[in-house]
Amino acid sequence: MTTTNLATVSEAELSTRANPFPGADTYSWTRAFSEALALATGLLPLVTDVIASYVIRPKRYLTKARTETIHRLRPGVIVKDEQTGLHVLSVTTHGFAGTPTEYNERVRSAFDSPARLDSSPARVLPRLTTGSGPNGTALPFVTTAEPVKPTVLNTLLGLMDLALTEADRKRGYDLAEDMTVFGQTNRTMHVPFLRTITENHQGVPVTREVVDLVAIKGSNRSRARLKLHGLTARNIAFGVPTDMLDLVESKAGQPTLPEYIADPVVWVPAFADTLRDAFARPKHRLHGTAQAAAEVAAVQMQIIVGTDNPAEFHNTVFDPNRADHRRPQLDYPLAEKSTSDMRAVLREAKASGRITEPVRAWLAGEDSEPDAQPGSVTDARDRRDRALLGMAFPKELEHDREVARVLGEPERYYDSREENVTLRLRMLSAAIAEGYRTRWNPRLLDGTLYSSFIAKRGSLADRPDWRTALDQAEADETQLSDFLVTRGLHWLAEHGMVEADRGSADGQRGPGRRSGVSARNALLLKSVQTIALMREIARANDAGTPPRQVDEAGAPVDGTVADRIWFSVTFPKTGRAKKKVDDRPGASDSAPPQQPEKSPEQVLLDAQLRLVTSLSSELPQAFLAALAVAREAIAAGAAAGKPALADPPSYSVEVMEQALTRLKRDLGSMQACLSDMKGETEVTIDSVTEQFANSEGER
């Protein structure tokens, strides 16, 4: 079998692909578009300012006569639909514009009908009505008849998200993942929805207003786009986290930045600039997000901004037919698809005589290594890993073209794009996982190679064995990034220290859930500790034990386990200083949003995460602390020439034995209850330790 060399990938090397994120437009053209839209439709500046903030290059839609001082929309920018009487604005917007709506007909069954006798008020959709101007004139936007409480809206958006998730599962493929490759081919249609939310600001009742462009056609596509940008529908209603925006920090004596910003006139241009910067900077904290959303950085969008029947607007606006989602069915998960791709590549290599059948079966995970060499578990895995690296990204041009033909890639020198690199990385990662105890998410390597890696004849073959690679990284830190991409990230994933789940804010909430790029960047900041951790993982794999934590000097710490929580604390996600952006005043409501009480689903998720942490980390640590004290007593007794419990107080041994007995019974009860908690809503956990503690407290 032939092998290949890897062209060194520099962490500082930027993508040669044109940046698909346009950034924010100038304030003057955005304002001019808002004023022209208000003039053409009668919509409130509150609404048109928000629509304008999402529009890319608004200048192209404007015209001005020589005799006029104001701009107007060009003919054809707004077109009337003769069937519905709706007036539709067609523009190019940022990909994070538009949200799914809880009023989508496809998910109505998720909510309680107000006609239902036992309906829950928090599950009933508020009544929609046509919006109006200051003088009561009907205007083409929708709102609710009454303001909505934050807790109710939070619950409704949660129910919508669950319902859309269930509907999305029926399509047979992951829509967000599909968009990372194919982008969005069908435009979505939206309507301005003025949300009015009753909040309590420092004891004063306040009605906050925020304009949301909700989907009439394409709720699932809108949700997928938001997901790729790291946002959710809740962010639009309750604010985008300020730490996602490159805003200048407040100076001394000035008001501090709020934790969340809900005014689109403020956060939309800031986020647009942040994404543009993040795409071009591999070390930017949102680089992985920008890479994921690149194919939907800009989208074609239709926005309903007028009607022939304003009074009935809220009823007729949902009349347009909902576009069917048509994609070739993928009837197996990403990991299965990716390993299938690698098996196809291996079959072609065998057919062309590049590898033998025993080698093909070994690399495909169908048989053991032919002519196995003596050595450790890590050595054997590493041989297979390095062979697969060379198969996915070979050195020889003829071999590479063979891989491209199997995968249906375009000619590498003309049209090889980032998604081709991404799909090969996923194919490689999934195939390598076949040789490990844990199958991780093959998205783990997404973004770790630059987008023109294939076109520039990049190769991952002829990598040194893991010991040599770590020795080289110790002598030259620039080699460490290569090792992490080709071996290290997989080693971490096997032990659950990192779990790829990018593209969703909720998905990355748990510790360790981050892109491979994020984990690699954090590891590169602590090279000594990182190299020591890699060697400790290799030792643990060969010994069949969990890896230990390593300190900053690189020394393993006995009695500890390197788990996901430790990794996230030791190698935190990296960030950078925020930059200043221009202030953009507008008619939109800039009041800081009050965060709603958590919905039952959110409370449950938090409780689940705390339970996992408590049982998997805190409880073992408490036991290890007690174990250390016991060993200390044994050592002290040996030094004194006596048994550790020689001549103790008469009651002490009995007290300890009783405590351990109670704990043993409670651990058994807890283990049994974990199974019950998977399928029952009401589970009782009785504890003899708790009963004993309560009885002691009552004395």
Side-chain angles (χ1 to χ4, degrees):
M1 181 184 68
T2 56
T3 54
T4 65
N5 269 326
L6 166 66
T8 301
V9 181
S10 170
E11 173 65 15
E13 184 165 358
L14 301 180
S15 171
T16 58
R17 174 186 179 182
N19 196 324
F21 294 93
D25 209 274
T26 60
Y27 173 74
S28 59
W29 283 113
T30 300
R31 172 65 69 173
F33 182 92
S34 172
E35 293 171 349
L37 181 60
L39 182 64
T41 63
L43 284 167
L44 301 173
L46 172 69
V47 176
T48 60
D49 276 1
V50 171
I51 294 175
S53 68
Y54 286 110
V55 176
I56 295 173
R57 304 295 177 258
K59 178 181 178 180
R60 76 181 84 170
Y61 304 108
L62 301 176
T63 184
K64 184 171 69 172
R66 293 181 180 179
T67 58
E68 294 184 329
T69 59
I70 60 173
H71 288 87
R72 297 180 183 273
L73 294 179
R74 290 182 179 276
V77 176
I78 296 178
V79 177
K80 176 182 174 181
D81 185 326
E82 296 297 339
Q83 290 184 335
T84 62
L86 298 172
H87 304 173
V88 181
L89 171 75
S90 295
V91 287
T92 301
T93 67
H94 297 295
F96 52 86
T99 61
T101 174
E102 62 272 36
Y103 292 89
N104 188 331
E105 293 295 332
R106 295 182 62 196
V107 299
R108 284 296 181 97
S109 61
F111 304 94
D112 287 358
S113 166
R116 178 175 165 178
L117 295 179
D118 60 345
S119 63
S120 169
R123 297 177 64 96
V124 174
L125 292 173
R127 183 169 63 85
L128 277 184
T129 185
T130 298
S132 61
N135 59 358
T137 303
L139 295 176
F141 66 91
V142 294
T143 187
T144 51
E146 300 291 339
V148 182
K149 295 180 180 179
T151 51
V152 173
L153 179 57
N154 187 50
T155 298
L156 295 175
L157 294 178
L159 292 172
M160 173 199 69
D161 198 56
L162 291 173
L164 287 176
T165 297
E166 186 61 30
D168 212 19
R169 288 175 181 155
K170 297 178 181 178
R171 72 177 66 249
Y173 64 95
D174 187 292
L175 181 57
E177 178 189 318
D178 192 58
M179 283 185 170
T180 65
V181 178
F182 300 106
Q184 177 178 292
T185 55
N186 297 321
R187 69 181 66 187
T188 54
M189 179 179 287
H190 301 258
V191 65
F193 183 4
L194 178 61
R195 295 188 183 276
T196 54
I197 307 170
T198 57
E199 298 181 342
N200 189 307
H201 290 192
Q202 298 180 341
V204 179
V206 174
T207 298
R208 181 171 59 85
E209 298 179 324
V210 60
V211 176
D212 194 354
L213 297 181
V214 297
I216 301 302
K217 293 182 181 180
S219 270
N220 276 309
R221 280 172 282 162
S222 299
R223 190 174 74 120
R225 289 201 313 267
L226 284 178
K227 178 181 178 181
L228 291 175
H229 286 88
L231 300 173
T232 68
R234 283 188 172 108
N235 291 132
I236 311 305
F238 297 113
V240 173
T242 306
D243 59 14
M244 292 182 68
L245 310 173
D246 290 342
L247 296 173
V248 66
E249 297 287 356
S250 301
K251 296 181 179 180
Q254 294 181 344
T256 59
L257 291 172
E259 187 177 359
Y260 295 88
I261 298 176
D263 184 357
V265 170
V266 176
W267 74 259
V268 167
F271 193 49
D273 284 340
T274 300
L275 289 171
R276 180 171 177 80
D277 190 35
F279 182 85
R281 295 171 55 86
K283 292 187 177 181
H284 194 285
R285 66 191 185 285
L286 294 185
H287 182 68
T289 299
Q291 292 287 320
E295 291 296 330
V296 289
V299 295
Q300 300 297 314
M301 178 177 289
Q302 294 179 325
I303 305 172
I304 300 171
V305 294
T307 178
D308 288 348
N309 189 356
E312 285 297 307
F313 180 74
H314 63 284
N315 288 327
T316 59
V317 73
F318 287 96
D319 285 347
N321 292 329
R322 286 147 182 83
D324 292 331
H325 304 282
R326 294 187 176 96
R327 283 275 185 261
Q329 291 274 327
L330 299 178
D331 55 356
Y332 40 89
L334 174 62
E336 300 297 338
K337 178 184 182 301
S338 298
T339 52
S340 177
D341 285 343
M342 179 59 86
R343 286 193 294 270
V345 168
L346 294 173
R347 284 196 300 270
E348 185 66 21
K350 187 253 181 180
S352 64
R354 298 183 187 279
I355 59 176
T356 64
E357 171 57 23
V359 170
R360 183 209 66 78
W362 168 52
L363 296 181
E366 299 170 1
D367 205 347
S368 57
E369 180 182 9
D371 303 322
Q373 304 173 25
S376 66
V377 171
T378 303
D379 292 335
R381 285 177 171 178
D382 193 57
R383 286 192 294 273
R384 181 174 180 271
D385 293 354
R386 288 184 286 127
L388 286 169
L389 290 169
M391 296 303 298
F393 294 92
K395 177 173 60 177
E396 300 86 353
L397 178 58
E398 182 183 357
H399 190 183
D400 183 75
R401 285 175 172 169
E402 180 181 278
V403 175
R405 285 196 303 272
V406 172
L407 299 179
E409 295 176 358
E411 172 60 42
R412 66 186 299 167
Y413 300 112
Y414 297 101
D415 198 28
S416 287
R417 298 191 297 172
E418 179 186 355
E419 60 260 29
N420 303 128
V421 178
T422 298
L423 292 176
R424 284 205 200 187
L425 283 171
R426 292 177 181 179
M427 173 184 78
L428 172 66
S429 188
I432 286 177
E434 295 283 338
Y436 287 70
R437 291 170 294 186
T438 302
R439 294 188 67 182
W440 50 78
N441 187 332
R443 296 183 183 87
L444 182 65
L445 297 185
D446 284 11
T448 55
L449 298 181
Y450 55 88
S451 61
S452 58
F453 189 79
I454 297 174
K456 290 189 174 181
R457 301 279 315 271
S459 169
L460 292 184
D462 291 347
R463 311 316 301 144
D465 67 83
W466 70 271
R467 289 188 177 86
T468 302
L470 286 177
D471 288 344
Q472 291 176 349
E474 197 168 40
D476 180 2
E477 291 185 2
T478 62
Q479 299 297 314
L480 182 56
S481 178
D482 179 72
F483 177 82
L484 293 175
V485 172
T486 57
R487 266 72 61 90
L489 291 178
H490 291 154
W491 291 14
L492 294 169
E494 182 188 25
H495 291 280
M497 280 183 255
V498 295
E499 178 181 349
D501 195 356
R502 63 177 182 82
S504 164
D506 292 336
Q508 296 185 39
R509 180 179 301 169
R513 292 192 176 185
R514 57 207 293 188
S515 69
V517 173
S518 169
R520 179 196 61 186
N521 292 347
L523 289 161
L524 291 174
L525 296 177
K526 299 181 178 181
S527 59
V528 172
Q529 198 170 12
T530 295
I531 292 171
L533 175 60
M534 294 297 122
R535 287 179 172 144
E536 169 59 20
I537 291 175
R539 181 209 64 78
N541 286 340
D542 295 339
T545 62
R548 297 168 294 181
Q549 299 173 12
V550 295
D551 60 26
E552 292 185 356
V557 181
D558 289 334
T560 64
V561 175
D563 57 13
R564 181 183 299 179
I565 296 175
W566 171 81
F567 181 85
S568 296
V569 172
T570 306
F571 301 96
K573 296 180 181 180
T574 57
R576 71 180 189 86
K578 298 175 180 178
K579 68 179 183 180
K580 183 177 181 179
V581 299
D582 293 335
D583 211 8
R584 291 177 172 82
S588 55
D589 192 338
S590 60
Q594 177 186 10
Q595 296 306 296
E597 294 182 11
K598 292 184 177 181
S599 67
E601 291 78 10
Q602 291 171 311
V603 173
L604 173 60
L605 177 60
D606 288 346
Q608 290 171 339
L609 293 174
R610 291 199 305 273
L611 179 61
V612 171
T613 300
S614 178
L615 294 186
S616 66
S617 179
E618 294 173 356
L619 186 59
Q621 290 297 333
F623 173 75
L624 291 175
L627 182 63
V629 174
R631 287 171 174 168
E632 182 181 347
I634 293 172
K642 295 182 179 181
L645 291 178
D647 305 322
S650 58
Y651 62 87
S652 60
V653 175
E654 181 181 355
V655 168
M656 289 187 291
E657 289 178 342
Q658 289 176 351
L660 289 174
T661 299
R662 288 192 294 269
L663 289 172
K664 182 177 180 180
R665 290 178 58 185
D666 283 351
L667 288 174
S669 299
M670 178 67 77
Q671 188 171 19
C673 284
L674 289 179
S675 297
D676 295 338
M677 291 165 71
K678 295 177 182 178
E680 300 180 23
T681 57
E682 295 185 7
V683 178
T684 301
I685 304 179
D686 295 323
S687 168
V688 292
T689 301
E690 182 181 44
Q691 295 171 2
F692 177 79
N694 290 339
S695 63
E696 287 290 303
E698 293 172 356
R699 293 179 182 177

